[in-house]
Amino acid sequence: MSSNDNIAITGVPTTAGPDGSVPLRRELRDLQKNYPDQFNLYILGLKNLESVDEAQLTSYYQIAGIHGLPFKPWNGVGSNTDWQSTDGFGGYCTHSSILFTTWHRPYMALYEQSLYISVQLVAKQFPEGSLRDKYVAAAQNFRAPYFDWASQPPAGSPAFPTALSSATIQVVDVDGQTKSINNPLYQFTFHPLNPSRGDFTAQWNRYPTTVRYPNRTTGKSQNSRIAPILANELASLRSNVGLLLLSYHNFDAFSFNRWDPNTNPGDYGSLEDVHNEIHDRTGGGGHMSALEVSAFDPLFWLHHFESKTRALTRDSNVDRLWAIWQDLNPDSFMSPRPAPYSTFSFEGGESQDKDSALTPFWDKSGTKFWTSDQIKDGTIFGSAYLETQKWKYASTEEYQAALRQNVTALYGTNVFTNFVDNIANQPPPAAAQLVAPAVPAVAAAAEKKEDTEDAAAVKAVPALAASQLAVRTIHTKPEHTAEAQNPLVPKKATEEGPIPASLAHLAPGNKYTEWVVNVRAEKHGLGQSFRLLVFLGAFNPDPESWDLEFNCVGRVSVLGRNHETKCSKCRVDTANGLMVSGTVPLTSALLQDIVAGQVHSLKPEDVVPYLRENLAWKVSLFSGEEKNVLDVPGLEVSVASTEVTIGEDGLPNYSGQYAVHPEVTQGKPAGHGRVEGA
């Protein structure tokens, strides 16, 4: 193939302002509420992109297919190479790899430039005159939005935006008429259907569209299950994101989830670990849950735009979080690692580093592939995020201070003020009526649903004591809007200093102990994806209820594959017994139990025996079936802690020194020091 045939990944064509400013990517709900013209174009442009002939290289189908199935070379890259471990082409997988975050950046840029072109075409289809002029102007600075799944949703709004969960959506169409259309964010419809193409495996051929939480009998999506599941562990997710952004300073530890015996107890978490959680929570056994087909779900692109960027680039929330972290840690980047297998770009064992080719993404010249080093500067793809407008600040120090403030504003200033923010407008914990009146209403709503599985999930409520239920509801229901003020905490903690006065005794000298659960397991050991859920207190033994358990404080999701996968890297990783890791923060949940009088402090002498008695964990497959924890190869669960100092600005300063507490989990199934086969 000649260079003239190569599709260059350019992102959106952009001329930066004199100060270096570029257009911003906006959070989905912000775009819908405050930039309705661009949101309207987004919906119409995505609908148009999804309808493009699947045979075209820049169609939605072909771009999504780069991520996994149908495992066909894109743009001719790799078509003549016989990769190891599989017959023929084996995909471009970089998961659990040093290239995980950087590979996804030009991938998102390819999607965004294709979507941008589609938006421009749609804008020009409006009737000539003021209407067309309005939309053409709005299209000029359009950028793909992201979904910030870790921030508190707006008051009264579900944790999973209705723009994603509704089958239809209202738009001003290109004929100028307001109408309801099929929502392109709800699902992608394959055309022609996958069975006629033979591109997918039997597992996925049955679906004419992408699905989320598919009904086991009908195969239909159950989007109503997503918002409660996201809300139920939101406090843990927010804590995890804050922990990553403010306490991780090594790129390798921050970026990907590969574990080895030298992994420090403070480095079990990663951006990839959090990224996997969202695939799990929103997919529920549907397309988002499986890396091989996840990119076909329109949610994939909003998810990745939120977590993987640098100051002025990247396209998703994953990109965004990387962008923020990168500007807080500009001197930290990837360490060279041996390539796990051979491809057309490098030999197995050869060093992978910042100069490795990010195939199949050609750079702007169309003659070379992008490298990680080249895409560190976010401006190269023509976009920035609200938090990463570096040009507004006079110095790097001022910019980084603003970044830290932005992080804490979104994900909690520190564990104490975050706790106050979550419950400041809640009734007192002992009020059993906090939950009791809501249960019949939820159950009644569920009864109206035709889908009995969906109804069962919505109705699932653990059989706990009223006091326990109330406390854990405070932890997991931030959208609750009771007028009564909780007398245990001040209404405006920020006026009292870095720590609310009612909680200051828990951090003498502004110091306290942060607690986390560390998990590691063999990624492909079960031949499928699975999750480990962490509980603090009593819970229903029925695995169908676990996603909505009030005492469920977090999860680690492992996106494994079976031995029949066409992914070459995954086959090699399986043969090598690749281990991955993740973290579940505990401190927020412990604070709730302190307020409830169940534990006295955050000190080890109080917390260790409390966790020994009350901490539990379970494993379930993405199908919902429980798996014995002892049957998960390499699974080990441990607890660690570190000292944190709260500065006068309210921001946490992590010591970086973690102590492991083996006595918490030792002797329990898959606990610390587990002996294989025991």
Side-chain angles (χ1 to χ4, degrees):
M1 173 177 286
S2 69
S3 61
N4 291 334
D5 297 323
N6 297 336
I7 296 174
I9 312 304
T10 62
V12 177
T14 304
T15 300
D19 57 355
S21 59
V22 293
L24 303 181
R25 294 190 180 106
R26 302 190 181 276
E27 209 277 335
L28 178 66
R29 290 161 290 199
D30 176 37
L31 186 73
Q32 184 176 18
K33 179 180 179 180
N34 299 314
Y35 302 88
D37 294 341
Q38 287 194 345
F39 180 80
N40 194 77
L41 287 172
Y42 171 50
I43 297 300
L44 294 178
L46 180 58
K47 182 174 183 290
N48 179 71
L49 180 61
E50 289 181 1
S51 69
V52 172
D53 187 340
E54 293 179 356
Q56 293 190 28
L57 286 175
T58 54
S59 67
Y60 183 93
Y61 180 86
Q62 291 249 2
I63 293 173
I66 294 172
H67 200 256
L69 284 169
F71 287 102
K72 294 182 178 179
W74 184 79
N75 204 191
V77 178
S79 58
N80 298 320
T81 300
D82 182 17
W83 285 21
Q84 294 181 353
S85 303
T86 188
D87 296 326
F89 179 72
Y92 307 106
C93 178
T94 60
H95 296 92
S96 303
S97 155
I98 193 66
L99 303 179
F100 167 70
T101 52
T102 56
W103 183 89
H104 280 81
R105 183 164 286 183
Y107 186 35
M108 300 302 295
L110 169 62
Y111 164 78
E112 187 172 40
Q113 73 187 51
S114 299
L115 178 61
Y116 179 83
I117 291 171
S118 184
V119 164
Q120 307 310 306
L121 292 173
V122 166
K124 294 174 183 176
Q125 293 175 22
F126 282 88
E128 289 189 19
S130 59
L131 192 63
R132 179 186 293 182
D133 292 344
K134 179 177 77 166
Y135 283 110
V136 167
Q140 184 176 2
N141 286 328
F142 171 82
R143 296 296 186 273
Y146 63 89
F147 166 38
D148 187 356
W149 26 256
S151 63
Q152 291 277 14
S157 299
F160 193 60
T162 54
L164 294 168
S165 63
S166 299
T168 60
I169 194 166
Q170 194 170 70
V171 296
V172 178
D173 210 345
V174 293
D175 59 4
Q177 301 298 309
T178 300
K179 62 184 69 170
S180 182
I181 65 171
N182 291 332
N183 184 4
L185 289 172
Y186 178 75
Q187 63 187 22
F188 169 65
T189 300
F190 298 100
H191 55 92
L193 301 183
N194 287 311
S196 66
R197 295 180 61 96
D199 281 357
F200 286 2
T201 60
Q203 177 185 1
W204 301 108
N205 270 344
R206 64 176 293 206
Y207 298 113
T209 69
T210 55
V211 291
R212 302 167 190 153
Y213 285 86
N215 178 283
R216 296 179 190 175
T217 303
T218 67
K220 293 182 179 179
S221 287
Q222 302 175 102
N223 276 263
S224 60
R225 300 184 65 173
I226 302 175
I229 290 171
L230 284 176
N232 198 44
E233 300 167 41
L234 183 59
S236 173
L237 183 61
R238 296 181 74 214
S239 297
N240 216 347
V241 170
L243 195 69
L244 280 170
L245 293 177
L246 298 178
S247 75
Y248 281 57
H249 302 292
N250 176 275
F251 177 87
D252 293 3
F254 168 82
S255 62
F256 68 108
N257 66 357
R258 181 182 292 264
W259 179 92
D260 64 51
N262 296 317
T263 299
N264 294 319
D267 291 339
Y268 272 61
S270 67
L271 184 58
E272 186 172 11
D273 170 42
V274 175
H275 150 277
N276 290 351
E277 275 192 49
I278 303 305
H279 275 277
D280 174 13
R281 293 193 205 180
T282 60
H287 288 75
M288 270 294 284
S289 302
L291 292 178
E292 294 183 337
V293 292
S294 59
F296 290 98
D297 188 326
L299 173 60
F300 173 92
W301 307 100
L302 291 124
H303 166 41
H304 273 267
F305 268 106
E306 145 68 22
S307 0
K308 291 174 185 164
T309 47
R310 168 173 167 75
L312 304 175
T313 73
R314 301 308 300 264
D315 336 44
S316 75
N317 195 42
V318 173
D319 187 75
R320 167 179 162 266
L321 295 181
W322 177 36
I324 293 171
W325 183 91
Q326 197 169 1
D327 284 353
L328 288 173
N329 301 274
D331 298 326
S332 180
F333 203 41
M334 63 179 63
S335 304
R337 302 265 178 140
Y341 63 103
S342 299
T343 73
F344 52 87
S345 299
F346 39 74
E347 296 293 329
E350 181 183 345
S351 178
Q352 280 184 332
D353 55 28
K354 62 185 178 63
D355 297 317
S356 296
L358 300 177
T359 54
F361 307 122
W362 298 99
D363 67 8
K364 293 181 179 180
S365 71
T367 61
K368 297 177 295 183
F369 294 113
W370 285 108
T371 68
S372 299
D373 192 53
Q374 289 173 321
I375 56 86
K376 284 172 62 181
D377 182 354
T379 57
I380 201 163
F381 292 131
S383 302
Y385 295 96
L386 187 65
E387 300 87 354
T388 60
Q389 299 178 72
K390 196 172 186 177
W391 57 87
K392 287 189 171 184
Y393 302 93
S395 67
T396 299
E397 292 73 21
E398 183 182 344
Y399 170 54
Q400 290 180 333
L403 271 181
R404 291 188 184 92
Q405 292 290 347
N406 282 327
V407 167
T408 57
L410 284 169
Y411 308 118
T413 303
N414 59 59
V415 69
F416 300 101
T417 55
N418 193 22
F419 174 71
V420 169
D421 290 343
N422 281 343
I423 72 171
N425 294 319
Q426 303 284 359
Q433 67 268 25
L434 177 65
V435 173
V439 174
V442 172
E447 291 290 352
K448 296 180 181 179
K449 293 185 177 293
E450 296 180 0
D451 192 321
T452 55
E453 289 190 10
D454 198 5
V458 173
K459 288 190 293 183
V461 177
L464 300 177
S467 61
Q468 288 179 296
L469 190 57
V471 171
R472 211 51 85 194
T473 300
I474 288 174
H475 172 55
T476 59
K477 300 292 182 184
E479 70 274 17
H480 183 76
T481 54
E483 294 182 1
Q485 167 70 19
N486 189 325
L488 295 174
V489 294
K491 192 167 186 178
K492 294 182 179 179
T494 54
E495 296 177 358
E496 303 183 15
I499 301 176
S502 61
L503 301 176
H505 65 285
L506 298 176
N510 285 3
K511 293 184 178 181
Y512 75 97
T513 305
E514 181 87 22
W515 295 86
V516 298
V517 172
N518 284 333
V519 178
R520 55 92 160 165
E522 189 174 324
K523 180 174 181 177
H524 304 292
L526 293 181
Q528 59 185 305
S529 296
F530 62 95
R531 64 180 70 89
L532 182 139
L533 294 143
V534 176
F535 303 91
L536 190 55
F539 60 94
N540 193 319
D542 181 3
E544 290 290 341
S545 75
W546 290 347
D547 280 330
L548 297 176
E549 280 288 339
F550 295 125
N551 278 343
C552 178
V553 296
R555 71 179 65 196
V556 172
S557 303
V558 181
L559 304 185
R561 301 185 184 183
N562 63 41
H563 67 281
E564 296 178 348
T565 179
K566 294 182 180 180
C567 171
S568 291
K569 179 182 182 300
C570 301
R571 290 191 177 192
V572 173
D573 287 343
T574 299
N576 293 337
L578 170 70
M579 301 290 290
V580 295
S581 64
T583 291
V584 175
L586 285 177
T587 313
S588 179
L590 285 169
L591 278 178
Q592 295 156 42
D593 292 349
I594 289 172
V595 168
Q598 297 174 10
V599 63
H600 297 300
S601 76
L602 291 172
K603 296 178 180 179
E605 56 264 35
D606 290 325
V607 172
V608 167
Y610 182 72
L611 292 180
R612 176 69 188 178
E613 181 178 354
N614 294 282
L615 187 71
W617 51 91
K618 290 286 186 178
V619 170
S620 68
L621 308 178
F622 282 13
S623 64
E625 173 189 350
E626 181 179 1
K627 191 73 175 177
N628 189 321
V629 295
L630 292 177
D631 293 337
V632 182
L635 177 62
E636 183 180 278
V637 180
S638 59
V639 169
S641 67
T642 188
E643 186 178 80
V644 182
T645 302
I646 305 297
E648 289 304 315
D649 56 2
L651 303 188
N653 298 297
Y654 297 85
S655 71
Q657 301 298 314
Y658 277 76
V660 178
H661 302 275
E663 63 272 34
V664 174
T665 65
Q666 207 162 35
K668 295 184 178 182
H672 182 89
R674 168 186 176 174
V675 177
E676 294 297 331

